């Protein structure tokens, strides 16, 4: 099931070659498989994001390998050099096979 994800770049205005901060968040419960449902008492099956891939243009620029110990709605922050006008795509994959993608445009001025 696709989930809600958000990517933001700061500062909002930047020039070609500037280093910009990328912030992302995805709404995901990140169940470890070790907790019980309070109503039923049954174990909640594991369901967490285990891989995040980041593409800038046609190139994969980084991969994050996550574990079940990451909190719900994981927030990631990293930097990129805005050296070209191109899409920035993030792909979140969880252990159940769900994939969520979000793309924004990197548009440096000048």
């Amino acid at each position: 099931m696709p989930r809600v994800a958000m990517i933001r770049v700061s500062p909002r205005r930047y020039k070609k070659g500037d280093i910009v901060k990328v912030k992302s968040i995805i709404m995901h419960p990140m169940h470890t498989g070790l907790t019980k449902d309070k109503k039923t008492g049954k174990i909640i099956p594991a369901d967490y994001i285990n891989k995040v891939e980041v593409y800038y243009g046609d190139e994969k620029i980084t991969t994050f390998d996550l574990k079940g110990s990451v909190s719900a709605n994981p927030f990631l922050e990293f930097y990129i050099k805005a050296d070209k006008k191109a899409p920035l795509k993030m792909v979140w994959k969880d252990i159940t096979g769900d994939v969520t993608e979000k793309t924004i445009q990197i548009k440096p001025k000048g």
Side-chain angles (χ1 to χ4, degrees), residues 1-3 26-31 46-52 66 74 91-100:
M1 176 174 77
R3 301 193 181 263
I26 183 168
M27 300 300 120
H28 195 286
M30 300 295 282
H31 293 300
D47 180 10
Y48 57 86
I49 294 170
N50 62 342
K51 186 169 286 286
V52 181
L66 305 180
V91 181
W92 294 264
K93 298 176 182 179
D94 71 20
I95 63 168
T96 66
D98 285 345
V99 176
T100 301

Side-chain angles (χ1 to χ4, degrees), residues 30-37 41-48 68-69 95:
M30 300 295 282
H31 293 300
T32 62
L34 301 174
T35 56
K36 291 182 179 180
D37 185 310
K42 294 183 178 179
I43 298 283
I44 300 171
D47 180 10
Y48 57 86
S69 59
I95 63 168

Side-chain angles (χ1 to χ4, degrees), residues 11-37:
R12 297 181 118 193
R13 296 177 188 208
Y14 45 91
K15 297 180 292 189
K16 187 175 182 178
D18 283 354
I19 304 295
V20 297
K21 184 187 300 184
V22 179
K23 297 178 182 179
S24 71
I25 189 167
I26 183 168
M27 300 300 120
H28 195 286
M30 300 295 282
H31 293 300
T32 62
L34 301 174
T35 56
K36 291 182 179 180
D37 185 310

